Amino acid sequence: MIFTQAIVRSPGQSIISGLSESGRDVPNYQTAREQHRCYVQALEACGLSVHTLTAEENWPDSTFVEDVAVLTPHCTIITAPGAESRQREVDAITPVLDSYYSDIYRISTPGTLEGGDVMRIGSHYYIGLSNRTNEAGAKQLIAILEKYGMSGSIVAVPNLLHLKTGITQVAENTLIAVAEFATLQAFRDFNILTVEPEEQGAANCIAINGKILMSAGFPRARKLLETVSSEVIEVDISEFSKIDGGLTCLSLRR
Ligand code: CIR
């Protein structure tokens, strides 16, 4: 599939109050802005036209736009974030997606779902059950996908923030994953590149238009990725990873 567009939201100064389970350092706002600019340039280098939304100071995590919507070739689904402080972010993305899609659905309570838990492979969507996404939310998403001839299945995510924190697609039949996902039955038909525990941040990559974007600073994972693509681009997102954000979370792509 050829991707042509991405939607991103600049980080606000409030990013210093973003949710963090890892409890690492507080992000530096100026550095985050600069890294975000470089992230946008990397998407553009992959051939995407990037729609940049202005920062939303009220919602510290709103730069992680991936979590508030699932884009499919046929429709978009506005999610229901499981993190209470992120629930109102959907109000800010809905008018934007209105201009791109005529078929718009919403996940509703008691369902919760965050886009970081949704990994699309062709017309199938793997949906992680995490602290942020529950079974009711996953089932609502599967019912919507099935209306359009797409499908979904559920994968348990016991130890990570989101499914895609630990596994992403990097080539047609190849995934990159942390060890706990690499051995799951659900992914038995894929070739899997397994990252070492100290390089967990490399499991969240974006494969786009023949190139692979990876987080900077994971040399062993880079070597693995170079076996499936001659165009691996490193992007430094250290400030976002301090609050558990990865590369995919920073954009919606279509
Ligand atoms: C959060 O905890 O919601 C944010 N600080 C990080 C969200 C990362 N999103 C993602 O992995 N899709």
Side-chain angles (χ1 to χ4, degrees), residues 1-6 43 46-50 208-209 253-254:
M1 167 178 174
I2 301 291
F3 290 83
T4 57
Q5 291 173 316
L43 292 176
C46 295
L48 301 189
S49 137
V50 182
I208 200 147
N209 300 342
R253 299 162 302 279
R254 52 181 244 137

Side-chain angles (χ1 to χ4, degrees), residues 140-179:
Q140 287 177 38
L141 177 58
I142 291 170
I144 297 163
L145 295 171
E146 287 178 348
K147 283 185 201 213
Y148 294 88
M150 301 180 284
S151 56
S153 58
I154 288 174
V155 181
V157 181
N159 301 314
L160 295 171
L161 175 62
H162 290 125
L163 176 66
K164 283 187 295 191
T165 309
I167 187 163
T168 46
Q169 185 179 27
V170 289
E172 192 176 341
N173 196 41
T174 304
L175 310 178
I176 188 164
V178 296

Side-chain angles (χ1 to χ4, degrees), residues 19 61 64 66-67 86 116 132 161-162 165 243-245 249:
L19 294 173
D61 286 298
F64 301 115
E66 172 182 72
D67 293 323
R86 303 200 56 188
R132 302 291 182 86
L161 175 62
H162 290 125
T165 309
I243 52 169
D244 308 337
C249 342

Side-chain angles (χ1 to χ4, degrees), residues 119-205:
M119 177 172 69
R120 173 182 173 205
I121 311 269
S123 61
H124 187 79
Y125 292 70
Y126 292 91
I127 306 164
L129 287 195
S130 66
N131 284 340
R132 302 291 182 86
T133 295
N134 65 18
E135 195 172 345
K139 285 186 167 163
Q140 287 177 38
L141 177 58
I142 291 170
I144 297 163
L145 295 171
E146 287 178 348
K147 283 185 201 213
Y148 294 88
M150 301 180 284
S151 56
S153 58
I154 288 174
V155 181
V157 181
N159 301 314
L160 295 171
L161 175 62
H162 290 125
L163 176 66
K164 283 187 295 191
T165 309
I167 187 163
T168 46
Q169 185 179 27
V170 289
E172 192 176 341
N173 196 41
T174 304
L175 310 178
I176 188 164
V178 296
E180 74 175 86
F181 288 149
T183 50
L184 285 186
Q185 273 290 98
F187 304 120
R188 67 184 177 279
D189 293 335
F190 294 96
N191 170 37
I192 300 194
L193 310 175
T194 307
V195 299
E196 296 173 25
E198 56 280 11
E199 293 206 343
Q200 183 190 303
N204 183 268
C205 290

